[in-house]
Amino acid sequence: MKVMIADDHPIVLSGVKALIENQNKGFKIIAEATSVEALFKTLSKEKIDILITDYSMPNNDYVDGIAMINKIKREHHNIKIIVLTQMTNTALLNSLVRSGIDGVLLKKDVLTDIHHVISVVKNGGKYISPSVSNLILSRQRTLTEPSPKELEVLRLFSSGMSVSKIAIHTNRSIKTISTQKKQAMIKLGLEHDSEIYEYIKSLD
C-alpha cells in the first residue's frame, strides 16, 4: 500500500513516518508534503492508496479543511483519507466525520492509534478515534442546532456580507443580526469567525 503523509509541522510528519516504517506491515511511504499546494501536485503525479493528512495547512490559492478533503475525494476517488487534527471544535469534527473520510484522529492520539486506523482503512473500514467520538458525543449532549434564521445569517456572513449588509438584505436590525450570529455560534460551539466559514463549507 502506497502511503503519503501531509503535515506542515516537520516534527509531526517525521514522527508519523517513523511510526509507520518501524512497524513494516506492508505500507510504503512514497511521498510527503508540507503544504496544500505540494499535496495536490503530488497527487496529480503519484498513485497513492492512503493519504494521511493534516486538516489545515498553509496554502496560497489552494483550499484546506473540509473543502480540501472534498476536492481530493472528487479528483482521486480511490484514495483512502485519514485526517490528523488538533481541532477540538465539535461542530467541525462532526462535519468532518459526515464528509465521508475513512479515518480521523487527534494528533495527541497518533502514537496509540495510527497503526490501528491504517489497518482498519486498508481493509475498507472506517475509523473514528475514541477521543473524536467522545468530543462529538459531548456536543450532542450540550449543543443545539441553530434556527433557520440563525443559519441564514451564518451563510450570508460566510459569503462575505457584513452584519450591516445582512441586516439590509434580510430587513432586520443590525442588533438582531448580531444577536442571531452570536447565538448560532454559541449553539455550534464556534469561537472564531473563521470557524463559521469552515462550518458552512462542510454543509455544502
Side-chain angles (χ1 to χ4, degrees):
M1 299 288 286
K2 295 180 179 179
V3 179
M4 178 178 181
I5 308 172
D7 197 291
D8 62 306
H9 294 92
I11 294 176
V12 174
L13 196 151
S14 61
V16 173
K17 180 179 179 180
L19 284 169
I20 296 172
E21 290 182 336
N22 288 342
Q23 287 292 315
N24 192 24
K25 293 187 175 180
F27 301 106
K28 182 179 180 181
I29 298 173
I30 65 166
E32 303 171 23
T34 56
S35 69
V36 179
E37 181 178 9
L39 167 60
F40 279 108
K41 283 185 177 178
T42 300
L43 291 179
S44 69
K45 296 183 291 185
E46 299 282 353
K47 182 183 182 301
I48 306 296
D49 297 307
I50 297 177
L51 170 65
I52 302 173
T53 180
D54 195 356
Y55 179 79
S56 181
M57 291 183 290
N59 65 88
N60 296 317
D61 297 326
Y62 288 78
V63 296
D64 65 353
I66 290 289
M68 177 187 76
I69 301 299
N70 289 338
K71 179 177 173 64
I72 294 170
K73 288 172 59 182
R74 285 195 308 270
E75 298 179 358
H76 308 277
H77 308 290
N78 296 322
I79 293 180
K80 304 287 187 181
I81 304 173
I82 298 171
V83 173
L84 305 180
T85 181
Q86 297 185 107
M87 175 176 63
T88 57
N89 181 279
T90 49
L92 296 181
L93 283 173
N94 196 38
S95 298
L96 180 59
V97 170
R98 293 201 311 265
S99 73
I101 58 168
D102 301 282
V104 58
L105 63 156
L106 301 183
K107 288 186 176 180
K108 69 182 182 69
D109 297 325
V110 167
L111 186 63
T112 55
D113 287 6
I114 190 65
H115 298 115
H116 186 50
V117 65
I118 292 176
S119 296
V120 170
V121 167
K122 172 190 174 185
N123 293 317
K126 304 284 185 181
Y127 182 85
I128 310 302
S129 78
S131 295
V132 172
S133 295
N134 289 336
L135 283 168
I136 292 173
L137 286 173
S138 71
R139 173 185 183 271
Q140 293 173 345
R141 289 192 295 267
T142 60
L143 302 179
T144 57
E145 295 297 321
S147 70
K149 286 187 177 181
E150 291 168 346
L151 184 58
E152 178 188 23
V153 169
L154 294 189
R155 285 190 178 278
L156 291 173
F157 185 82
S158 70
S159 73
M161 294 178 68
S162 65
V163 169
S164 58
K165 287 185 177 180
I166 294 173
I168 295 172
H169 179 77
T170 60
N171 197 29
R172 301 174 210 161
S173 69
I174 293 177
K175 182 179 179 180
T176 296
I177 297 301
S178 295
T179 299
Q180 289 174 333
K181 176 176 175 281
K182 181 179 179 180
Q183 288 300 315
M185 292 180 70
I186 290 172
K187 288 179 179 180
L188 293 168
L190 305 178
E191 298 179 358
H192 308 288
D193 286 351
S194 60
E195 293 177 339
I196 295 176
Y197 300 111
E198 280 296 300
Y199 177 74
I200 295 300
K201 279 191 295 184
S202 74
L203 300 179
D204 296 333

